[in-house]
Amino acid sequence: MKISEIFAPTLREVPAEAEVISHILMLRAGMIRKAASGVYTFLPLGYRIIKKVIEIVREEMDNKGGQELMLPIIQPAELWMQSGRWHVYGDELFRLKDRHGRDFSLGPTHEEIITDLVKGDVRSYKQLPLLLYQIQNKYRDERRPRFGLMRGREFIMKDLYSFDKDNEGLDVTYHKMYDAYIRIFTRCGLRFRPVEADPGAIGGSGGTHEFMVVADSGEAAIVYCDTCNYAANVEKAESVPAPGNTDENMKEMQEISTPGVKTIDEVSGFLSIASDKLLKTLIYRTEAETVAVIVRGDREINEIKLQNLLGSLQLEMADERTVQEITGAAPGFSGPLGLGDIRIIADKEIMQMRNTITGANKMDTHMLNVNPGRDFEPSQSADIRLVREGEKCPRCQGILMEARGIEVGQVFKLGTKYSEAMGARYLDENGKEKLMVMGCYGIGVSRTVAASIEQNHDKDGIIWPMPIAPFHAVVVPVSVKDKKQLELAQQIYKSLNEIGVEAVIDDRNERPGVKFKDADLIGFPLRVVVGTKAVEEGIVEIKHRRTGDVRNTAVTDAALVIHKIVADEIAESMPIS
Ligand code: 9G3
């Protein structure tokens, strides 16, 4: 391909709305353009990268026995009613009506459609396990589409659904997919981590992992152990209760006046007592009840854990009026004493604390020496708090570290949630009817491309890992007006493509500086400069985008040298075995 003919309109200016580097660089490099909020066109260069990632994904899915199919994007509401999810997803689900007024959605994911398909056509245990996947656009009407490809309303996903006879079968399939994901993201040249995660609204039988690309721009917070391989999304990360101070004698409770002293920090400062000696009491409301939730003063409540514990669809902090009603005081003076018959949920480390300080449920007043177990009894004691960097690992003696990540993949054990709701059964070896046991496994293809840029760029532009680069090399004649230079460049360009290197030639009548800038911006892994030295001495310069290494090679060897670099780097990206 000639650069003069590629439809890749590069931009010198940084688009104002682009917040993250992947978005900025893909716009500047002429790889994507916005069509609507959260909706993007892939231009030819951008689409080549997408296709590279898709091919890697496809190879690894096929290798694990996945069969590719194509499910419809338009999905009838009835199937979503059967699963009970038509009303769960609210505004995030793109909804449309046909001319007869029937309801449909634009597929945000395909559990319903595929379960309905398999239910209709799979009867026998002999047909299981069955692994079906597709690579297709998905639609989610995000409240705040942003970060370019990272959180779009239309995006490309690989979604595989597995159907097994039983939980043991699901475990095997899950492990296969987990392994395939490690191979895929390794081959894409990403630094990533599989982390334990919370299954969220999709529900199911348990296990789920997210594959996180480590990047500061990531929206997800993860913790990982500095010693063992424990890693988890903070939403999921298990806390280790602090040992507390159970050796202390319980002292007599005492009321103390704290005028206008409300927050943990204010109370701690006012009394000159560390915040880890305080109890933080917050009032929450669900669709069904009001509860008091207690954590140590210096801790934060993990609302995901709390919501899972309560089994509620909605969860929010109570408003001022409710707090006043329940506690008898304004927010800031809540405590666990005398709350009547509302449930008190305490974090599990609370019972190890002695002589704590709490709100008195009375204006401008706190209580000293409140002892859990003696002065109040929680209805339930559970892990409901957020874990922070520096805390103990729940699996070993190590210390947890914090990082940010971009979620590029997720694997879920669904169990029988969908097969039960939709009636997907098979006949086992004894002719007995059983529910299929399902899993689902997603990869955000367009997000993977964006995540790769977040990890692979410098001040000049993108630095593509060889396996997903839109082209492996760009051949740059320094001056196209010099016939001999152009000819040599064309020769090398032609040889490259003949031996399977994906090369472009920058045949534009531009200053070399302009061409070099564009080459760096687009991120070709290799650049071959054909200048006067090529004409006079038969020497070209090969520059490696990532390392900056420059080497001179005979014109006659150039294509083979480049071929070897490309082949070596693709081979190196392959995981062992
Ligand atoms: C919806 C809407 C948004 C959603 C979902 C449904 C997320 C939804 C979770 C999944 C789970 C797996 C298959 C591939 C692997 C991941 N956002 N999820 O189910 F209706 Cl609007 O998509 N699906």
Side-chain angles (χ1 to χ4, degrees):
M1 196 88 215
K2 295 175 182 169
I3 294 259
S4 64
E5 293 173 357
I6 296 184
F7 181 44
T10 56
L11 304 171
R12 291 274 161 262
E13 290 306 309
V14 181
E17 61 177 34
E19 297 172 72
V20 292
I21 195 69
S22 56
H23 190 193
I24 293 168
L25 289 176
M26 289 195 89
L27 287 166
R28 280 191 51 205
M31 292 173 175
I32 59 167
R33 284 294 182 264
K34 185 172 91 169
S37 167
V39 180
Y40 290 86
T41 297
F42 289 103
L43 278 60
L45 278 182
Y47 197 48
R48 286 184 72 97
I49 302 149
I50 293 284
K51 286 187 286 185
K52 290 272 176 85
V53 173
I54 286 180
E55 207 35 52
I56 290 172
V57 169
R58 184 173 280 139
E59 272 178 37
E60 297 296 339
M61 289 297 106
D62 290 351
N63 263 334
K64 298 293 184 192
Q67 300 180 54
E68 189 169 3
L69 49 47
M70 186 64 101
L71 299 161
I73 289 172
I74 296 183
Q75 305 186 11
E78 288 78 63
L79 295 181
W80 286 78
M81 304 265 189
Q82 280 178 35
S83 71
R85 297 209 297 171
W86 182 254
H87 298 289
V88 171
Y89 276 95
D91 286 342
E92 201 183 335
L93 193 59
F94 268 110
R95 294 158 203 266
L96 64 151
K97 281 188 195 295
D98 70 6
R99 64 173 73 215
H100 307 291
R102 294 185 198 112
D103 287 310
F104 292 85
S105 73
L106 295 183
T109 176
H110 284 69
E111 282 81 8
E112 281 80 359
I113 281 271
I114 196 126
T115 308
D116 185 62
L117 172 82
V118 170
K119 153 194 168 179
D121 285 287
V122 175
R123 300 290 311 142
S124 161
Y125 70 94
K126 290 179 190 157
Q127 295 164 281
L128 301 177
L130 186 58
L131 280 65
L132 301 171
Y133 77 97
Q134 60 170 349
I135 301 166
Q136 186 201 53
N137 284 0
K138 295 275 184 278
Y139 298 85
R140 293 180 186 175
D141 197 355
E142 296 284 344
R143 185 188 299 275
R144 251 192 96 194
R146 54 190 179 147
F147 304 150
L149 298 186
M150 220 94 89
R151 186 164 290 282
R153 297 195 294 170
E154 176 180 79
F155 58 98
I156 306 170
M157 187 198 267
K158 182 286 300 181
D159 44 331
L160 184 144
Y161 304 87
S162 68
F163 298 83
D164 271 281
K165 287 184 281 191
D166 48 30
N167 282 320
E168 290 68 56
L170 171 60
D171 285 346
V172 172
T173 304
Y174 187 85
H175 188 261
K176 275 188 189 171
M177 283 299 121
Y178 186 97
D179 185 55
Y181 277 35
I182 300 236
R183 293 183 55 86
I184 288 165
F185 297 123
T186 303
R187 288 182 63 183
C188 288
L190 292 162
R191 279 173 288 115
F192 66 96
R193 248 176 208 285
V195 306
E196 294 180 13
D198 182 85
I202 191 160
S205 62
T208 167
H209 287 87
E210 290 170 347
F211 286 76
M212 295 288 190
V213 167
V214 186
D216 290 338
S217 58
E219 289 186 275
I222 62 173
V223 295
Y224 60 93
C225 178
D226 68 354
T227 307
C228 73
N229 58 13
Y230 179 76
N233 191 316
V234 284
E235 293 176 351
K236 164 83 176 176
E238 298 161 36
S239 69
V240 176
N245 53 342
T246 45
D247 51 331
E248 248 177 63
N249 287 327
M250 294 190 199
K251 297 184 205 157
E252 199 179 316
M253 225 167 25
Q254 191 188 329
E255 204 178 278
I256 177 169
S257 170
T258 53
V261 180
K262 292 181 185 175
T263 65
I264 291 287
D265 280 351
E266 287 165 4
V267 177
S268 161
F270 183 80
L271 299 172
S272 298
I273 292 178
S275 56
D276 63 3
K277 299 286 182 281
L278 276 54
L279 295 190
K280 186 188 284 180
T281 306
L282 297 172
I283 311 297
Y284 274 91
R285 289 188 71 158
T286 73
E287 69 277 11
E289 60 177 332
T290 305
V291 294
V293 183
I294 303 177
V295 292
R296 209 172 79 177
D298 59 333
R299 309 290 201 195
E300 301 298 326
I301 291 168
N302 180 332
E303 295 188 351
I304 307 268
K305 287 181 184 174
L306 182 59
Q307 190 163 1
N308 288 341
L309 183 82
L310 297 172
S312 61
L313 296 172
Q314 280 165 27
L315 178 76
E316 55 181 21
M317 292 251 285
D319 55 21
E320 244 185 275
R321 233 194 58 211
T322 311
V323 173
Q324 184 80 42
E325 251 167 50
I326 298 280
T327 69
F333 303 100
S334 303
L337 304 177
L339 285 178
D341 49 12
I342 72 162
R343 285 209 287 163
I344 298 177
I345 314 285
D347 184 68
K348 60 182 176 177
E349 70 189 358
I350 291 305
M351 297 313 281
Q352 314 304 319
M353 294 173 68
R354 293 279 183 277
N355 304 321
T356 69
I357 296 152
T358 76
N361 295 327
K362 190 168 147 190
M363 199 60 191
D364 294 337
T365 314
H366 278 79
M367 301 296 294
L368 302 183
N369 304 327
V370 174
N371 282 278
R374 181 190 73 178
D375 304 321
F376 72 96
E377 195 63 56
S379 334
Q380 216 170 342
S381 171
D383 179 3
I384 50 161
R385 70 174 180 86
L386 275 175
V387 170
R388 303 302 297 269
E389 178 159 88
E391 289 193 41
K392 263 185 127 157
C393 171
R395 298 278 183 276
C396 77
Q397 290 307 303
I399 298 295
L400 294 178
M401 312 293 282
E402 252 176 52
R404 301 203 69 80
I406 302 163
E407 183 196 332
V408 288
Q410 43 186 178
V411 292
F412 283 94
K413 288 185 189 176
L414 291 171
T416 54
K417 175 176 162 156
Y418 292 88
S419 40
E420 196 166 347
M422 305 184 68
R425 299 191 178 80
Y426 69 98
L427 295 174
D428 75 2
E429 291 85 338
N430 307 311
K432 225 183 113 200
E433 211 168 58
K434 289 213 169 118
L435 288 172
M436 297 181 198
V437 180
M438 293 174 57
C440 68
Y441 316 85
I443 288 180
V445 172
S446 31
R447 192 186 279 187
T448 298
V449 168
S452 175
I453 297 173
E454 295 292 324
Q455 277 189 344
N456 299 292
H457 68 270
D458 63 13
K459 64 176 191 350
D460 299 316
I462 306 171
I463 308 173
W464 291 109
M466 197 63 81
I468 63 171
F471 288 95
H472 302 133
V474 57
V475 182
V476 186
V478 172
S479 164
V480 292
K481 288 194 184 135
D482 183 325
K483 275 246 168 61
K484 290 211 174 100
Q485 269 185 39
L486 183 60
E487 242 166 56
L488 287 175
Q490 281 167 337
Q491 219 177 72
I492 294 169
Y493 162 70
K494 201 163 154 263
S495 317
L496 284 171
N497 280 296
E498 276 167 8
I499 58 177
V501 173
E502 298 168 24
V504 292
I505 182 166
D506 196 345
D507 59 335
R508 295 175 301 170
N509 183 19
E510 291 280 1
R511 285 179 291 115
V514 171
K515 298 188 193 180
F516 295 162
K517 263 204 154 58
D518 279 345
D520 282 348
L521 174 62
I522 292 168
F524 303 105
L526 296 166
R527 186 185 80 188
V528 190
V529 179
V530 183
T532 47
K533 243 188 173 169
V535 178
E536 286 162 14
E537 302 168 44
I539 302 271
V540 295
E541 177 196 282
I542 301 172
K543 184 166 182 191
H544 193 274
R545 175 77 177 85
R546 185 182 299 277
T547 61
D549 282 352
V550 176
R551 79 165 93 158
N552 290 329
T553 312
V555 171
T556 44
D557 294 342
L560 281 177
V561 169
I562 290 164
H563 182 272
K564 180 159 166 37
I565 299 173
V566 172
D568 284 353
E569 288 193 13
I570 290 178
E572 270 165 36
S573 75
M574 285 301 252
I576 20 207
S577 92

